[in-house]
Amino acid sequence: MLQQVALLLSAVHKQQAQLSLVDLAGSEDMTRSHHGAGDQDGIATNLGLHALTRVLGALAAGAPHVPYRDATLTRLLQPALGGDCVTQMLACISPAAADEAETARTL
């Protein structure tokens, strides 16, 4: 009986999950959201988004080097971007004509 329990315990597979919720606020046009002023938070956010674009491009191209270390955002998201993970993205877009350019950049 003890051997059967030991065999059952050794056959159990351990699974691990991680949920990251990231708000990419600041990806909008700086002139609309910051009244034309290029504040440091907005600039840092846009630099992080640019680094994320480079990482996604490198992953899609199968590049030998993926620049995860270029920004804090990409370092935090590294486990969710590579390997055998499932990643989903939710984008808020607008059908308004005034938001056409911003919607196109988001998509």
Side-chain angles (χ1 to χ4, degrees), residues 22-34 37 39-50 73 102 105-106:
V22 180
D23 180 7
L24 298 177
S27 63
E28 65 275 348
D29 186 9
M30 295 281 285
T31 57
R32 286 180 61 188
S33 62
H34 301 280
D39 68 347
Q40 294 301 316
D41 290 337
I43 292 169
T45 299
N46 285 334
L47 288 174
L49 291 174
H50 184 65
L73 175 65
E102 186 176 335
R105 280 193 305 272
T106 299

Side-chain angles (χ1 to χ4, degrees), residues 18-22 24 52 77 80-81 85-91:
Q18 176 179 345
L19 176 65
S20 300
L21 299 175
V22 180
L24 298 177
L52 180 60
L77 291 179
L81 296 173
C85 63
V86 175
T87 302
Q88 294 184 357
M89 182 181 128
L90 173 68

Side-chain angles (χ1 to χ4, degrees), residues 7-21:
L7 286 174
L8 288 174
L9 289 176
S10 66
V12 174
H13 296 285
K14 183 178 180 182
Q15 292 185 347
Q16 181 178 353
Q18 176 179 345
L19 176 65
S20 300
L21 299 175

